[in-house]
Amino acid sequence: MKKIYVILFSALAVVTGKAQNKFNLLVGTYTNKCQSNGIYVYEFNAASGDFKLKSSSENVISPSYLSVSANNKFVYAVNENGTQSAVSAFGFDSASGKLKFLNTNDALGADPCHLINDDKNVIVANYSGGNIVVYKKNADGSISTVQQLIQHEGKGPNVARQEKAHVHQVVFSPDKKFVLSNDLGLDKVFIYKYNPSSKNEILTLKGSVDVKPGSGPRHLTFSKDGKFVYLVQELDGTLTSFSYDKTGVLKVIAETSILPQGFKGGTGAAAIKISPDGNFLYLTDRVDANAISVYKIQKNGSLELVEQQSTLGKGPRDFAIDPTGNYLLVGHQYTNDIVIFKRDKTTGKLTDTGKRIELCSPVGLVFTKI
């Protein structure tokens, strides 16, 4: 009898192990430059790097960035479409990968470029509108009309790119007590107190932190222990490190450049992510660089450059690391593919697998469980 239990346990362990290696990869795309259905769902095998298309949305306009609910049952997308921009909600069947359109509402700001959600709210950054908008979640996962709008005002020294506010991201603090927001136009990171149950004062301003004039803050990420924040600045390739405490206080502690010595081309830093084990920081740079940088995170939060290499495409707008940490996938907006790199978990270094997901203008990549 004992032997039978051992066999059954072993079989269960094998099945569970296989299941844990397979994830859904959701990809948001631009739909105005080439043929795209909008959102694509792939099954990704984190043991082999293999993938297969499961499903896609239908006739969704430029769902460039996506946010999946914690229960894996809903997907929220920005519809980046100038002054006609919107935000949409979808039901999500993780087994089949199928998306069911629920509803859409006006973004009340041009070109939404990033969003987050929890069980009560969906919070969106409008780039060209220079504002943040908050939607309440309905019981069925759909979204309300905008319940709060926060308008940023001002400009920066870069006349071409900082002529007004450009909100580029919204991020929950690890304890969900605050929302941080980067404004490329104002060279500021704003810290908002988060009041999830409030009707129309969900976000209240706590303060802001200035970064280097003309640098253009784009995206940030928290260290795994929540004590540090790393921000990449789009306009000049600056990488800024902050200390962070649970009262929502952000302090600049270090600055470096992601540009190789002597680099003279155009730069456009894009995405920044930390490996699942918290040991490595990755970030992409576009325009002429089209590179990804790898940094080792030291115990004191400082960064040590490991390597910089080509992303093997043009316009690495976003990337994602699978939950096991085995692979890093880079989406190229202009060469219409996702390049699959193998990750060395010990060194953080990346190796091209030769595998490519071909699709129109991939912009946002998100892994979820199946």
Side-chain angles (χ1 to χ4, degrees):
M1 191 70 173
K2 188 177 179 183
K3 193 172 181 181
I4 292 171
Y5 278 126
V6 169
I7 291 168
L8 285 172
F9 181 78
S10 299
L12 182 63
V14 169
V15 170
T16 304
K18 282 184 178 177
Q20 288 173 343
N21 279 324
K22 290 185 177 178
F23 301 92
N24 284 321
L25 170 67
L26 281 72
V27 183
T29 67
Y30 280 133
T31 60
N32 56 351
K33 298 295 184 185
C34 44
Q35 176 54 46
S36 171
N37 294 334
I39 304 170
Y40 290 78
V41 183
Y42 296 85
E43 180 181 284
F44 185 80
N45 188 324
S48 65
D50 293 332
F51 59 90
K52 64 180 180 183
L53 179 64
K54 293 173 75 170
S55 182
S56 69
S57 62
E58 294 179 7
N59 302 316
V60 178
I61 296 172
S62 291
S64 56
Y65 276 83
L66 313 172
S67 184
V68 182
S69 63
N71 64 9
N72 216 28
K73 292 183 177 179
F74 304 101
V75 173
Y76 300 93
V78 299
N79 302 112
E80 196 174 336
N81 189 30
T83 57
Q84 305 302 307
S85 293
V87 176
S88 298
F90 301 84
F92 180 54
D93 184 297
S94 61
S96 67
K98 291 192 180 302
L99 294 153
K100 179 186 177 183
F101 176 75
L102 297 176
N103 76 327
T104 187
N105 272 313
D106 196 319
L108 297 186
D111 301 320
C113 60
H114 196 263
L115 76 170
I116 51 177
N117 82 94
D118 66 2
D119 59 346
K120 293 183 182 296
N121 302 294
V122 177
I123 305 171
V124 179
N126 285 319
Y127 177 80
S128 298
N131 58 31
I132 300 169
V133 290
V134 187
Y135 304 83
K136 285 292 179 185
K137 279 191 181 180
N138 300 317
D140 65 353
S142 63
I143 56 173
S144 69
T145 54
V146 170
Q147 301 299 293
Q148 184 181 17
L149 185 151
I150 298 171
Q151 185 67 49
H152 289 181
E153 300 287 352
K155 58 185 178 180
N158 185 323
V159 177
R161 295 292 308 277
Q162 296 181 309
E163 79 291 358
K164 62 177 182 176
H166 289 298
V167 183
H168 223 311
Q169 188 188 36
V170 281
V171 182
F172 285 121
S173 62
D175 59 9
K176 298 281 185 78
K177 290 183 178 178
F178 299 94
V179 170
L180 278 62
S181 178
N182 310 323
D183 196 309
L184 178 144
L186 307 185
D187 293 318
K188 289 179 182 290
V189 180
F190 290 85
I191 301 103
Y192 290 94
K193 187 179 179 190
Y194 181 50
N195 315 294
S197 298
S198 175
K199 185 177 180 182
N200 50 26
E201 290 189 358
I202 301 104
L203 299 177
T204 52
L205 183 64
K206 175 182 170 54
S208 64
V209 177
D210 293 326
V211 294
K212 192 166 69 169
S215 62
R218 182 182 170 93
H219 279 194
L220 63 75
T221 186
F222 279 85
S223 62
K224 194 168 185 182
D225 62 9
K227 294 179 180 179
F228 301 97
V229 168
Y230 302 102
L231 167 74
V232 68
Q233 284 115 284
E234 178 175 337
L235 301 182
D236 71 351
T238 297
L239 171 59
T240 303
S241 302
F242 302 83
S243 62
Y244 179 83
D245 71 28
K246 291 185 178 179
T247 65
V249 174
L250 202 60
K251 292 182 180 177
V252 176
I253 54 175
E255 274 186 353
T256 187
S257 174
I258 68 171
L259 304 178
Q261 196 166 1
F263 180 79
K264 300 295 185 187
T267 181
I272 184 167
K273 311 276 176 78
I274 285 179
S275 58
D277 60 13
N279 292 334
F280 294 93
L281 179 76
Y282 295 83
L283 57 90
T284 54
D285 194 3
R286 298 166 296 166
V287 189
D288 295 321
N290 294 305
I292 187 163
S293 300
V294 184
Y295 293 86
K296 171 75 175 169
I297 301 174
Q298 309 297 324
K299 287 185 178 178
N300 65 357
S302 64
L303 300 173
E304 177 188 329
L305 181 63
V306 174
E307 69 170 356
Q308 290 178 312
Q309 65 163 282
S310 170
T311 59
L312 305 175
K314 185 167 177 56
R317 182 72 167 263
D318 195 23
F319 66 91
I321 304 169
D322 84 74
T324 71
N326 285 339
Y327 291 90
L328 184 149
L329 283 66
V330 182
H332 292 105
Q333 180 181 348
Y334 300 116
T335 40
N336 301 319
D337 65 3
I338 297 172
V339 174
I340 301 174
F341 290 95
K342 184 79 171 71
R343 259 191 88 241
D344 186 312
K345 292 183 183 179
T346 305
T347 66
K349 290 184 176 181
L350 303 174
T351 306
D352 179 24
T353 62
K355 296 176 181 178
R356 307 286 188 268
I357 302 175
E358 307 284 348
L359 80 167
C360 167
S361 201
V363 184
L365 284 68
V366 182
F367 277 107
T368 73
K369 60 190 176 185
I370 294 180

